[in-house]
Amino acid sequence: QWQVAESGGGSVQPGGSLTLSCVHSGLGFYSIGWYRQAPGKEREGVSCISASGDSTNYPDSVKGRFTISRDNDKKTVYLQMNSLKPEDTAVYHCAALKRVGCSAWTDAEFRAWGQGTQVTVSS
C-alpha cells in the first residue's frame, strides 16, 4: 500500500527559498504531484513529475521558480522553491497519482495523499 510523507515547510521572507521533500513507500513507481491549499482559495497543482523522472509539469504561477525532482533509489521527491512570494503561502501536499505519467495531473485521482506541510511567506 502506497504512502507519502512531506517535510521541509517553514516560514521565510519574500524572495527566500525552501525545499520540500516527499518520501514515498509502496510497490512500483508512479508519478508524484505537489498541490497547495490556501484559505479562501481552490486547491492548485504546483508541479508533477513522472514515475521515471523524465517529464515534469508546472503551472505558469510557479514556472521558473519551482523545480521538482526525484531520486527513486531513495524513494524521495523534492520540490525546490525559489523566489518565494506571499501568494505562495499555503499548505503543501504531495500525492502519488494512479498513473506513471503526468497527463491531466491537475485533475488526477490519487493513490496516496500526504498530511501536508505549511509554507508561510511574509515580511
Side-chain angles (χ1 to χ4, degrees), residues 13-89:
Q13 294 183 335
S17 298
L18 284 173
T19 299
L20 307 182
S21 298
C22 174
V23 177
H24 57 87
S25 62
L27 295 176
F29 294 91
Y30 296 91
S31 53
I32 296 288
W34 285 96
Y35 306 82
R36 64 188 181 188
Q37 179 68 62
K41 297 181 180 180
E42 295 183 350
R43 188 184 69 185
E44 178 186 22
V46 297
S47 192
C48 181
I49 187 166
S50 62
S52 66
D54 63 356
S55 179
T56 59
N57 293 84
Y58 307 91
D60 290 340
S61 59
V62 307
K63 191 174 298 181
R65 300 188 298 118
F66 290 11
T67 302
I68 191 170
S69 62
R70 72 190 301 164
D71 184 340
N72 282 346
D73 288 337
K74 297 181 179 179
K75 294 187 176 181
T76 303
V77 175
Y78 305 96
L79 183 66
Q80 175 68 48
M81 304 184 294
N82 298 324
S83 301
L84 284 163
K85 304 175 181 179
E87 51 263 44
D88 294 319
T89 296

Side-chain angles (χ1 to χ4, degrees), residues 93-115:
H93 300 265
C94 70
L97 278 62
K98 294 181 179 180
R99 59 190 65 182
V100 296
C102 287
S103 61
W105 66 281
T106 57
D107 298 320
E109 295 184 349
F110 307 113
R111 293 184 179 274
W113 181 263
Q115 78 282 1

